[in-house]
Amino acid sequence: MPFFTDAKQIYTVMQALFESMRDMTPNPVDALVSSHMIIRINLTDPDAQITINGRQRPVTIDYGSPKGRADMEIGMTADRLHLILLDEYSIKQGFSNGELKIRGPIWKALSFADIFQQGRTYYPQVIKDQGLG
């Protein structure tokens, strides 16, 4: 059974997570400005899209139907994202075995890796606050 029941639940959790990280110094979300990229996370089971625009400060995050083209797209199941943020699943392993798909300049993804790393700090509390943990 999937951890998330629907896209709305994913968006609520991810919005709370990104807001928590915005309070950090340095802010890992705004660090994406150095990438000058639009990154889209395409999730399945349930389907959801999160688009992060790192072409301007402050970085903007849109939840739902994508508008325009992204420079990099990362595809995975919602459960994989959940496990990554719990530090129970290796991103390297996911790319190696094809469970995580990427389209775009993978070498520029390093600026995005910090968001996953920092997100692990807050994610357990965020899902608990949402009544999921």
Side-chain angles (χ1 to χ4, degrees):
M1 182 165 161
F3 180 79
F4 294 105
T5 57
D6 57 27
K8 183 179 179 193
Q9 189 179 54
I10 293 170
Y11 300 145
T12 300
V13 169
M14 291 298 116
Q15 187 171 18
L17 178 62
F18 284 121
E19 289 303 315
S20 296
M21 289 190 297
R22 284 189 190 276
D23 294 336
M24 296 178 72
T25 305
N27 177 339
V29 178
D30 275 349
L32 284 176
V33 170
S34 65
S35 74
H36 303 291
M37 293 194 328
I38 296 175
I39 301 167
R40 182 166 300 123
I41 303 171
N42 295 308
L43 301 173
T44 58
D45 300 321
D47 291 347
Q49 293 81 34
I50 302 166
T51 304
I52 304 164
N53 185 344
R55 291 187 179 163
Q56 69 213 5
R57 191 177 304 267
V59 170
T60 58
I61 302 169
D62 293 315
Y63 304 91
S65 298
K67 297 168 185 78
R69 182 174 160 89
D71 300 298
M72 180 174 25
E73 293 190 36
I74 302 169
M76 68 186 90
T77 66
D79 279 350
R80 291 274 177 251
L81 178 61
H82 171 68
L83 293 174
I84 287 168
L85 291 170
L86 288 175
D87 202 13
E88 294 177 4
Y89 184 79
S90 164
I91 295 172
K92 282 185 194 178
Q93 176 188 352
F95 286 127
S96 296
N97 65 21
E99 292 175 336
L100 301 180
K101 309 236 186 290
I102 190 162
R103 184 200 59 78
I106 197 163
W107 53 272
K108 277 194 159 189
L110 294 176
S111 60
F112 191 67
D114 196 38
I115 285 188
F116 282 120
Q117 192 67 17
Q118 296 297 330
R120 290 175 176 143
T121 303
Y122 292 96
Y123 187 71
Q125 186 61 49
V126 167
I127 59 174
K128 185 177 178 184
D129 291 348
Q130 298 294 323
L132 301 171

